[in-house]
Amino acid sequence: AERLLIDMAALKIADKVVKPLEEQGEKESRRVWNPVAAKMHQGKYGEASRIKRGIEEAQRALAAERKERGEEFVPALFKPSYSATGQPELLPSAPINL
């Protein structure tokens, strides 16, 4: 039998407060992925895929360089583990972009 897990229609969408792209750090998600989203909005899915692959390859290269140097990835915003509720927890020193 079909069972409803979460009624998404009943949930309220939270307002987002985000600085303009030009004020965001170079590694912030909206800034990094904006070119992909822009191409998708233009219907240029092939170009979006190529940009996406480039971003992912660059991220993998950075991870490989860290591994080669024996450096552990240290998150800038979130604790490495989740809270008891399953939600990510911000680091006290997180430079929140509000």
Side-chain angles (χ1 to χ4, degrees):
E2 192 171 310
R3 190 177 99 193
L4 180 65
L5 182 60
I6 298 173
D7 183 2
M8 299 300 285
L11 298 178
K12 180 184 180 293
I13 297 173
D15 293 331
K16 294 173 186 65
V17 180
V18 182
K19 282 187 178 180
L21 289 177
E22 60 274 4
E23 293 180 28
Q24 293 182 14
E26 66 179 36
K27 293 182 182 177
E28 291 191 53
S29 291
R30 284 184 181 240
R31 185 167 177 183
V32 171
W33 294 98
N34 184 60
V36 176
K39 291 298 180 190
M40 291 178 72
H41 285 294
Q42 296 169 9
K44 297 179 179 179
Y45 303 111
E47 289 182 44
S49 290
R50 281 190 289 284
I51 295 168
K52 175 185 173 287
R53 278 193 302 277
I55 292 168
E56 292 169 338
E57 287 170 10
Q59 291 173 340
R60 281 191 286 276
L62 288 173
E65 289 171 15
R66 277 194 308 273
K67 185 176 181 179
E68 191 174 296
R69 291 189 303 265
E71 293 178 9
E72 186 176 330
F73 175 73
V74 179
L77 301 178
F78 297 98
K79 294 179 181 178
S81 58
Y82 291 91
S83 70
T85 63
Q87 296 178 335
E89 292 185 75
L90 283 170
L91 293 167
S93 60
I96 298 303
N97 192 5
L98 296 178

